[in-house]
Amino acid sequence: MNATPMSKALDCINVLVVDDQDCLVDLLSDIVEGLGFSSEVAHDGQEALEKFQGGNFQMVITDIKMPRMDGIQLTKMVKRDRPDVPVIAITGFGNEEAGEDLRSEQMDGFLEKPFRIAKIEGMICEVLRGYNLIY
Ligand SMILES: [Mg+2]
């Protein structure tokens, strides 16, 4: 898959990456920046919500299981205020039932850990295209 996006304004796409595992949040941030976008990181849902509300983000990529506030609650809060911002969820307890729950919670994409880098790159671009944020 060609993961190089044609962006309307690459430097205007700022992605909030959220995971309580340092190595994963760093990897996800590198993936996002490798696509030419900007990223900021948070380590739980509460920190993410504070950053989201105080910042300017075009996408959120979030873990589900995190301390203080989980990714499902974070998604609800993000979508309540900003339904125009896509959310991709990444979860470690993958099963079909969890996937169903996530889809019903307005998530725009869903990946199970461990994920292939090409797969998340493809999903990020597909979701951004769906929201007309990149070509
Ligand atoms: Mg976690």
Side-chain angles (χ1 to χ4, degrees):
M1 183 180 297
N2 179 8
T4 305
M6 294 294 288
S7 177
K8 290 174 178 172
L10 276 174
D11 55 357
C12 288
I13 305 280
N14 194 25
V15 181
L16 182 59
V17 177
V18 193
D19 199 303
D20 59 325
Q21 280 182 272
D22 286 339
C23 58
L24 258 173
V25 87
D26 289 345
L27 172 62
L28 288 166
S29 176
D30 285 348
I31 290 169
V32 165
E33 294 186 5
L35 290 169
F37 307 128
S38 302
S39 73
E40 293 180 42
V41 302
H43 300 88
D44 61 61
Q46 186 63 43
E47 183 191 0
L49 187 61
E50 286 162 17
K51 284 200 172 181
F52 184 81
Q53 289 172 337
N56 182 24
F57 296 97
Q58 285 67 50
M59 170 177 266
V60 176
I61 301 174
T62 184
D63 184 24
I64 296 299
K65 282 196 145 179
M66 298 181 290
R68 299 213 292 168
M69 182 190 294
D70 68 17
I72 291 174
Q73 187 64 23
L74 173 65
T75 300
K76 280 184 189 166
M77 303 293 277
V78 165
K79 290 288 189 178
R80 191 191 61 187
D81 294 342
R82 294 290 308 275
D84 58 317
V85 173
V87 178
I88 292 175
I90 297 176
T91 183
F93 57 90
N95 58 56
E96 283 181 23
E97 196 175 304
E100 279 306 315
D101 285 350
L102 298 179
R103 273 185 284 279
S104 70
E105 296 292 350
Q106 301 176 287
M107 266 114 181
D108 298 283
F110 167 67
L111 277 180
E112 289 175 24
K113 297 174 188 173
F115 53 83
R116 289 182 53 236
I117 289 174
K119 195 160 184 185
I120 182 125
E121 286 175 338
M123 182 173 285
I124 290 167
C125 294
E126 183 186 314
V127 169
L128 286 171
R129 278 190 202 101
Y131 278 72
N132 285 317
L133 290 165
I134 60 171
Y135 292 118

Coordinates of all heavy atoms in Angstrom, one line a residue, residues 31-109:
I31 N 5.3 7.1 13.6 CA 4.5 6.7 12.4 C 3.8 7.9 11.8 O 3.8 8.1 10.6 CB 3.5 5.5 12.7 CG1 4.3 4.2 13.0 CG2 2.5 5.3 11.6 CD1 3.5 3.1 13.6
V32 N 3.1 8.6 12.7 CA 2.3 9.8 12.2 C 3.3 10.8 11.6 O 3.0 11.3 10.5 CB 1.6 10.4 13.5 CG1 1.1 11.8 13.1 CG2 0.4 9.5 13.9
E33 N 4.4 11.1 12.2 CA 5.3 12.1 11.7 C 6.0 11.6 10.4 O 6.3 12.3 9.5 CB 6.3 12.5 12.8 CG 5.6 13.2 13.9 CD 6.4 13.8 14.9 OE1 7.7 13.8 14.8 OE2 5.8 14.4 15.9
G34 N 6.2 10.2 10.3 CA 6.7 9.7 9.1 C 5.8 9.9 7.9 O 6.3 9.9 6.7
L35 N 4.5 10.0 8.2 CA 3.5 10.3 7.1 C 3.5 11.8 6.7 O 2.8 12.2 5.8 CB 2.1 9.9 7.5 CG 1.9 8.4 7.6 CD1 0.6 8.0 8.3 CD2 1.9 7.7 6.2
G36 N 4.3 12.6 7.5 CA 4.3 14.0 7.2 C 3.4 14.9 8.1 O 3.4 16.1 7.8
F37 N 2.8 14.3 9.0 CA 1.9 15.0 9.9 C 2.6 15.4 11.2 O 3.7 14.9 11.5 CB 0.7 14.2 10.3 CG -0.1 13.6 9.1 CD1 -0.4 12.3 9.0 CD2 -0.4 14.4 8.0 CE1 -1.0 11.8 7.9 CE2 -1.1 13.9 6.9 CZ -1.4 12.6 6.9
S38 N 2.0 16.3 12.0 CA 2.5 16.6 13.3 C 1.8 15.7 14.3 O 0.7 15.2 14.1 CB 2.2 18.1 13.6 OG 2.8 19.0 12.7
S39 N 2.5 15.6 15.5 CA 1.8 14.8 16.5 C 2.2 15.4 17.9 O 3.2 16.0 18.1 CB 2.3 13.3 16.5 OG 3.6 13.2 16.9
E40 N 1.3 15.1 18.8 CA 1.5 15.4 20.2 C 1.1 14.1 20.9 O 0.2 13.4 20.5 CB 0.8 16.6 20.7 CG 1.3 17.9 20.1 CD 0.6 19.1 20.5 OE1 0.3 19.3 21.7 OE2 0.3 20.0 19.7
V41 N 1.7 13.9 22.1 CA 1.4 12.6 22.8 C 0.7 12.9 24.2 O 0.9 13.9 24.8 CB 2.6 11.7 23.0 CG1 3.2 11.4 21.7 CG2 3.6 12.4 23.9
A42 N -0.1 11.9 24.6 CA -0.6 11.9 26.0 C -0.6 10.5 26.5 O -0.6 9.5 25.7 CB -2.1 12.5 26.0
H43 N -0.6 10.3 27.8 CA -0.3 9.0 28.3 C -1.6 8.4 29.1 O -1.5 7.3 29.6 CB 0.9 9.0 29.3 CG 2.1 9.4 28.5 ND1 2.5 10.8 28.4 CD2 3.0 8.7 27.8 CE1 3.6 10.8 27.7 NE2 3.9 9.6 27.3
D44 N -2.7 9.1 29.1 CA -3.9 8.6 29.6 C -5.0 9.5 29.0 O -4.8 10.5 28.5 CB -4.0 8.5 31.1 CG -3.8 9.8 31.8 OD1 -4.7 10.7 31.5 OD2 -2.9 10.0 32.5
G45 N -6.3 9.0 29.2 CA -7.4 9.7 28.6 C -7.6 11.1 29.2 O -8.0 12.1 28.5
Q46 N -7.3 11.3 30.5 CA -7.5 12.6 31.1 C -6.5 13.6 30.6 O -6.9 14.7 30.2 CB -7.4 12.4 32.6 CG -7.7 13.7 33.4 CD -9.1 14.2 33.2 OE1 -10.1 13.3 33.3 NE2 -9.3 15.5 33.0
E47 N -5.3 13.2 30.5 CA -4.2 14.1 29.9 C -4.6 14.4 28.5 O -4.5 15.5 28.0 CB -2.9 13.4 30.0 CG -1.7 14.3 29.5 CD -0.4 13.6 29.3 OE1 -0.3 12.4 29.6 OE2 0.6 14.2 28.9
A48 N -5.1 13.4 27.7 CA -5.4 13.6 26.3 C -6.5 14.6 26.2 O -6.5 15.5 25.3 CB -5.8 12.3 25.7
L49 N -7.6 14.5 27.0 CA -8.7 15.4 26.9 C -8.3 16.8 27.2 O -8.7 17.7 26.5 CB -9.8 14.9 27.9 CG -11.1 15.7 27.8 CD1 -11.7 15.5 26.4 CD2 -12.1 15.2 28.8
E50 N -7.4 17.0 28.2 CA -6.9 18.3 28.5 C -6.1 18.9 27.3 O -6.3 20.1 26.9 CB -6.1 18.3 29.8 CG -7.0 18.2 31.0 CD -6.2 17.7 32.3 OE1 -5.0 17.8 32.3 OE2 -6.9 17.2 33.2
K51 N -5.3 18.1 26.7 CA -4.5 18.6 25.6 C -5.4 18.8 24.4 O -5.3 19.8 23.7 CB -3.5 17.5 25.2 CG -2.3 17.5 26.1 CD -1.0 16.9 25.4 CE 0.2 17.1 26.4 NZ 1.4 16.5 25.8
F52 N -6.4 18.0 24.2 CA -7.3 18.1 23.1 C -8.1 19.4 23.2 O -8.2 20.2 22.2 CB -8.3 16.9 23.0 CG -9.2 17.0 21.8 CD1 -8.8 16.6 20.5 CD2 -10.5 17.5 21.9 CE1 -9.6 16.6 19.4 CE2 -11.3 17.6 20.8 CZ -10.9 17.1 19.6
Q53 N -8.6 19.7 24.4 CA -9.4 20.9 24.6 C -8.6 22.2 24.5 O -9.1 23.2 24.2 CB -10.2 20.8 25.9 CG -11.3 19.7 25.8 CD -11.9 19.4 27.2 OE1 -11.3 19.7 28.2 NE2 -13.2 18.9 27.1
G54 N -7.3 22.1 24.8 CA -6.4 23.2 24.8 C -5.6 23.4 23.5 O -4.8 24.3 23.4
G55 N -5.8 22.5 22.6 CA -5.0 22.5 21.3 C -5.9 22.5 20.1 O -7.1 22.7 20.1
N56 N -5.2 22.2 19.0 CA -5.8 22.1 17.7 C -5.4 20.9 17.0 O -4.3 20.7 16.5 CB -5.4 23.4 16.9 CG -6.1 23.4 15.5 OD1 -7.1 22.9 15.3 ND2 -5.4 24.1 14.5
F57 N -6.3 19.9 17.0 CA -6.1 18.5 16.5 C -7.1 18.2 15.4 O -8.2 18.5 15.5 CB -6.1 17.5 17.6 CG -5.0 17.7 18.7 CD1 -5.3 18.4 19.8 CD2 -3.7 17.3 18.5 CE1 -4.4 18.7 20.8 CE2 -2.7 17.5 19.4 CZ -3.1 18.2 20.6
Q58 N -6.6 17.5 14.4 CA -7.4 17.0 13.3 C -7.7 15.5 13.4 O -8.5 15.0 12.6 CB -6.7 17.3 12.0 CG -6.8 18.8 11.6 CD -6.0 19.7 12.5 OE1 -4.8 19.4 12.8 NE2 -6.6 20.7 13.1
M59 N -7.0 14.8 14.3 CA -7.3 13.4 14.5 C -6.8 13.0 15.9 O -5.8 13.6 16.4 CB -6.5 12.6 13.4 CG -6.5 11.1 13.6 SD -5.7 10.1 12.3 CE -7.1 9.7 11.3
V60 N -7.4 11.9 16.4 CA -7.0 11.3 17.7 C -6.7 9.8 17.4 O -7.6 9.1 16.8 CB -8.0 11.5 18.8 CG1 -7.5 10.8 20.1 CG2 -8.2 13.0 19.1
I61 N -5.6 9.3 17.8 CA -5.4 7.8 17.8 C -5.2 7.4 19.3 O -4.3 7.9 20.0 CB -4.1 7.5 17.0 CG1 -4.2 8.0 15.6 CG2 -3.8 6.0 17.1 CD1 -2.9 7.8 14.8
T62 N -6.0 6.5 19.8 CA -6.0 6.2 21.2 C -6.1 4.8 21.5 O -6.8 4.0 20.9 CB -7.1 7.0 21.9 OG1 -7.0 6.7 23.4 CG2 -8.5 6.5 21.5
D63 N -5.3 4.4 22.5 CA -5.4 3.1 23.2 C -6.8 3.1 23.9 O -7.4 4.1 24.1 CB -4.2 3.1 24.2 CG -4.1 1.8 25.0 OD1 -4.6 0.7 24.4 OD2 -3.6 1.8 26.1
I64 N -7.2 1.9 24.2 CA -8.5 1.7 25.0 C -8.2 1.6 26.5 O -8.7 2.4 27.3 CB -9.3 0.5 24.5 CG1 -9.7 0.7 23.0 CG2 -10.5 0.3 25.4 CD1 -10.6 1.9 22.8
K65 N -7.4 0.7 26.9 CA -7.2 0.5 28.3 C -6.1 1.4 28.8 O -4.9 1.3 28.5 CB -6.8 -1.0 28.6 CG -8.0 -1.9 28.6 CD -7.6 -3.2 29.2 CE -8.8 -3.8 29.9 NZ -8.5 -5.1 30.5
M66 N -6.5 2.4 29.6 CA -5.5 3.3 30.2 C -6.0 3.8 31.6 O -7.2 3.7 31.8 CB -5.5 4.6 29.3 CG -5.0 4.3 27.9 SD -4.9 5.9 26.9 CE -6.6 6.3 26.7
P67 N -5.1 4.2 32.4 CA -5.5 4.7 33.7 C -6.3 6.1 33.6 O -6.2 6.7 32.6 CB -4.2 4.9 34.5 CG -3.2 5.0 33.5 CD -3.7 4.2 32.3
R68 N -7.0 6.4 34.7 CA -7.7 7.7 34.8 C -8.9 7.8 33.9 O -10.0 8.0 34.3 CB -6.8 8.9 34.7 CG -5.7 8.9 35.7 CD -5.3 10.3 36.0 NE -4.7 11.0 34.9 CZ -4.5 12.3 34.9 NH1 -4.9 13.1 35.9 NH2 -3.9 12.9 33.9
M69 N -8.7 7.7 32.6 CA -9.8 7.7 31.6 C -9.5 6.8 30.5 O -8.4 7.0 29.9 CB -10.1 9.2 31.1 CG -11.3 9.2 30.2 SD -11.5 10.8 29.3 CE -11.8 11.9 30.7
D70 N -10.4 5.9 30.1 CA -10.1 5.0 29.0 C -10.4 5.6 27.7 O -10.9 6.7 27.6 CB -10.8 3.6 29.2 CG -12.3 3.7 29.1 OD1 -12.8 4.7 28.5 OD2 -12.9 2.7 29.5
G71 N -10.0 4.9 26.6 CA -10.2 5.4 25.3 C -11.6 5.5 24.8 O -11.9 6.4 24.0
I72 N -12.5 4.7 25.4 CA -13.9 4.8 25.0 C -14.5 6.1 25.6 O -15.2 6.9 24.9 CB -14.7 3.6 25.5 CG1 -14.2 2.4 24.7 CG2 -16.2 3.8 25.4 CD1 -14.8 1.0 25.2
Q73 N -14.2 6.4 26.8 CA -14.7 7.7 27.4 C -14.1 8.9 26.7 O -14.8 9.9 26.4 CB -14.3 7.7 28.9 CG -14.9 8.9 29.7 CD -16.5 8.8 29.7 OE1 -17.1 7.8 29.5 NE2 -17.1 10.0 29.9
L74 N -12.8 8.8 26.4 CA -12.1 9.9 25.7 C -12.8 10.1 24.4 O -13.1 11.3 24.0 CB -10.6 9.5 25.5 CG -9.8 10.5 24.6 CD1 -9.7 11.9 25.2 CD2 -8.4 9.9 24.3
T75 N -13.1 9.0 23.6 CA -13.8 9.2 22.3 C -15.1 9.9 22.5 O -15.5 10.8 21.7 CB -13.9 7.8 21.7 OG1 -12.6 7.2 21.5 CG2 -14.6 8.0 20.3
K76 N -15.9 9.5 23.5 CA -17.2 10.1 23.7 C -17.0 11.6 23.9 O -17.8 12.4 23.4 CB -17.8 9.5 25.0 CG -18.5 8.2 24.8 CD -19.2 7.7 26.0 CE -19.7 6.3 25.9 NZ -20.1 5.7 27.2
M77 N -16.1 12.0 24.7 CA -15.9 13.4 25.0 C -15.4 14.2 23.8 O -15.9 15.3 23.6 CB -14.8 13.6 26.2 CG -15.2 12.8 27.5 SD -16.6 13.5 28.3 CE -15.9 14.9 29.1
V78 N -14.5 13.6 23.0 CA -14.0 14.2 21.8 C -15.1 14.4 20.8 O -15.4 15.5 20.3 CB -12.9 13.4 21.2 CG1 -12.6 13.8 19.8 CG2 -11.6 13.5 22.0
K79 N -15.9 13.3 20.6 CA -17.0 13.4 19.6 C -18.1 14.3 20.0 O -18.8 14.8 19.2 CB -17.5 11.9 19.3 CG -16.5 11.1 18.6 CD -16.4 11.5 17.1 CE -15.6 10.5 16.3 NZ -15.5 10.9 14.9
R80 N -18.4 14.4 21.3 CA -19.4 15.3 21.8 C -19.1 16.7 21.4 O -20.0 17.4 20.9 CB -19.5 15.2 23.3 CG -20.8 15.8 23.9 CD -20.7 15.9 25.4 NE -19.6 16.8 25.8 CZ -19.2 16.9 27.1 NH1 -19.8 16.3 28.1 NH2 -18.2 17.7 27.4
D81 N -17.9 17.1 21.6 CA -17.5 18.5 21.3 C -17.1 18.7 19.8 O -17.4 19.7 19.2 CB -16.3 18.9 22.1 CG -16.6 19.0 23.6 OD1 -17.8 19.1 23.9 OD2 -15.7 19.0 24.4
R82 N -16.5 17.7 19.2 CA -15.9 17.8 17.9 C -16.2 16.6 17.0 O -15.3 15.8 16.8 CB -14.4 18.0 18.0 CG -14.0 19.4 18.6 CD -14.3 20.6 17.7 NE -13.7 20.4 16.4 CZ -12.5 20.7 16.1 NH1 -11.7 21.2 17.0 NH2 -12.1 20.5 14.8
P83 N -17.4 16.4 16.6 CA -17.8 15.2 15.7 C -17.0 15.2 14.4 O -17.0 14.2 13.7 CB -19.3 15.3 15.5 CG -19.6 16.7 15.9 CD -18.6 17.2 16.8
D84 N -16.4 16.3 14.1 CA -15.6 16.4 12.8 C -14.2 15.9 13.0 O -13.5 15.9 12.0 CB -15.6 17.9 12.4 CG -15.0 18.8 13.4 OD1 -15.3 18.6 14.6 OD2 -14.1 19.6 13.0
V85 N -13.8 15.5 14.2 CA -12.5 14.9 14.4 C -12.5 13.4 14.4 O -13.2 12.8 15.3 CB -11.9 15.5 15.7 CG1 -10.5 14.8 16.0 CG2 -11.7 17.0 15.6
P86 N -11.8 12.7 13.5 CA -11.8 11.3 13.5 C -11.0 10.7 14.6 O -10.0 11.3 15.1 CB -11.2 10.9 12.1 CG -10.4 12.1 11.7 CD -11.1 13.3 12.3
V87 N -11.5 9.5 15.1 CA -10.8 8.8 16.2 C -10.5 7.4 15.8 O -11.4 6.7 15.3 CB -11.6 8.8 17.5 CG1 -10.9 8.0 18.6 CG2 -11.9 10.2 18.0
I88 N -9.2 7.0 15.9 CA -8.8 5.6 15.6 C -8.5 5.0 17.0 O -7.7 5.6 17.7 CB -7.6 5.5 14.7 CG1 -8.0 5.9 13.2 CG2 -7.1 4.1 14.6 CD1 -6.9 6.0 12.3
A89 N -9.0 3.8 17.2 CA -8.7 3.1 18.5 C -7.8 1.9 18.3 O -7.9 1.2 17.3 CB -10.1 2.6 19.1
I90 N -6.9 1.8 19.2 CA -6.0 0.6 19.2 C -6.2 -0.1 20.5 O -6.1 0.5 21.6 CB -4.5 1.1 19.0 CG1 -4.4 1.8 17.7 CG2 -3.6 -0.1 19.1 CD1 -3.1 2.4 17.5
T91 N -6.4 -1.4 20.4 CA -6.7 -2.1 21.6 C -5.9 -3.4 21.7 O -5.5 -4.0 20.7 CB -8.2 -2.5 21.8 OG1 -8.4 -3.1 23.0 CG2 -8.7 -3.4 20.7
G92 N -5.5 -3.8 23.0 CA -4.8 -5.0 23.2 C -5.6 -6.2 23.5 O -5.1 -7.3 23.6
F93 N -6.9 -5.9 23.8 CA -7.7 -7.1 24.2 C -8.6 -7.5 23.1 O -9.8 -7.7 23.3 CB -8.5 -6.8 25.5 CG -9.4 -5.6 25.5 CD1 -10.7 -5.7 25.1 CD2 -8.9 -4.4 25.9 CE1 -11.5 -4.6 25.1 CE2 -9.7 -3.3 25.9 CZ -11.0 -3.4 25.5
G94 N -8.1 -7.5 21.9 CA -8.9 -7.7 20.7 C -9.8 -8.9 20.7 O -9.3 -10.0 20.9
N95 N -11.0 -8.7 20.5 CA -12.0 -9.7 20.1 C -13.1 -9.1 19.4 O -13.3 -7.9 19.4 CB -12.4 -10.5 21.3 CG -13.1 -9.7 22.4 OD1 -14.0 -8.9 22.1 ND2 -12.6 -9.7 23.6
E96 N -14.0 -9.9 18.8 CA -15.0 -9.3 18.0 C -16.0 -8.4 18.8 O -16.5 -7.4 18.3 CB -15.8 -10.4 17.3 CG -15.1 -11.0 16.1 CD -15.8 -12.0 15.4 OE1 -17.1 -12.0 15.5 OE2 -15.2 -12.8 14.7
E97 N -16.2 -8.9 20.0 CA -17.2 -8.1 20.9 C -16.6 -6.7 21.2 O -17.4 -5.7 21.1 CB -17.4 -8.9 22.2 CG -18.6 -8.5 23.0 CD -18.8 -9.4 24.1 OE1 -18.9 -10.6 24.0 OE2 -18.8 -8.8 25.3
A98 N -15.3 -6.7 21.5 CA -14.7 -5.4 21.7 C -14.8 -4.5 20.5 O -15.1 -3.3 20.5 CB -13.3 -5.5 22.1
G99 N -14.6 -5.1 19.3 CA -14.7 -4.4 18.1 C -16.1 -3.8 17.9 O -16.2 -2.6 17.5
E100 N -17.1 -4.6 18.2 CA -18.5 -4.1 18.1 C -18.7 -2.9 19.0 O -19.3 -1.9 18.6 CB -19.5 -5.2 18.4 CG -19.8 -6.1 17.2 CD -20.2 -5.4 16.0 OE1 -21.0 -4.5 16.0 OE2 -19.6 -5.7 14.9
D101 N -18.3 -3.0 20.2 CA -18.4 -1.9 21.2 C -17.8 -0.6 20.7 O -18.4 0.4 20.8 CB -17.8 -2.3 22.5 CG -18.6 -3.3 23.3 OD1 -19.7 -3.5 22.9 OD2 -18.0 -3.8 24.3
L102 N -16.6 -0.8 20.1 CA -15.9 0.4 19.6 C -16.6 1.0 18.4 O -16.7 2.2 18.4 CB -14.4 0.0 19.2 CG -13.6 -0.6 20.4 CD1 -12.2 -0.9 19.9 CD2 -13.5 0.4 21.5
R103 N -17.1 0.2 17.5 CA -17.8 0.8 16.4 C -19.0 1.6 16.9 O -19.3 2.7 16.3 CB -18.2 -0.3 15.4 CG -17.1 -0.5 14.4 CD -17.5 -1.5 13.3 NE -17.5 -2.9 13.8 CZ -16.4 -3.6 13.9 NH1 -15.2 -3.2 13.6 NH2 -16.5 -4.9 14.3
S104 N -19.7 1.0 17.9 CA -20.9 1.7 18.3 C -20.6 3.0 19.1 O -21.4 3.8 19.4 CB -21.7 0.8 19.2 OG -21.1 0.5 20.4
E105 N -19.3 3.1 19.5 CA -18.9 4.3 20.2 C -18.3 5.4 19.3 O -17.4 6.2 19.7 CB -17.9 4.0 21.3 CG -18.4 3.1 22.4 CD -19.4 3.8 23.3 OE1 -19.6 5.0 23.2 OE2 -20.1 3.1 24.1
Q106 N -18.7 5.3 18.0 CA -18.3 6.4 17.1 C -16.8 6.4 16.7 O -16.3 7.3 16.2 CB -18.6 7.8 17.6 CG -20.1 8.0 17.9 CD -20.3 9.4 18.5 OE1 -19.9 9.6 19.7 NE2 -20.8 10.3 17.8
M107 N -16.1 5.3 16.9 CA -14.8 5.2 16.5 C -14.7 5.1 14.9 O -15.6 4.4 14.4 CB -14.0 4.1 17.1 CG -13.2 4.5 18.3 SD -13.9 3.7 19.7 CE -12.9 4.3 21.1
D108 N -13.8 5.7 14.3 CA -13.7 5.7 12.9 C -12.8 4.6 12.4 O -12.9 4.3 11.2 CB -13.2 7.1 12.4 CG -14.1 8.2 12.8 OD1 -15.1 8.3 12.2 OD2 -13.8 8.9 13.8
G109 N -12.0 4.1 13.2 CA -11.1 3.0 12.8 C -10.7 2.2 14.1 O -10.8 2.7 15.2

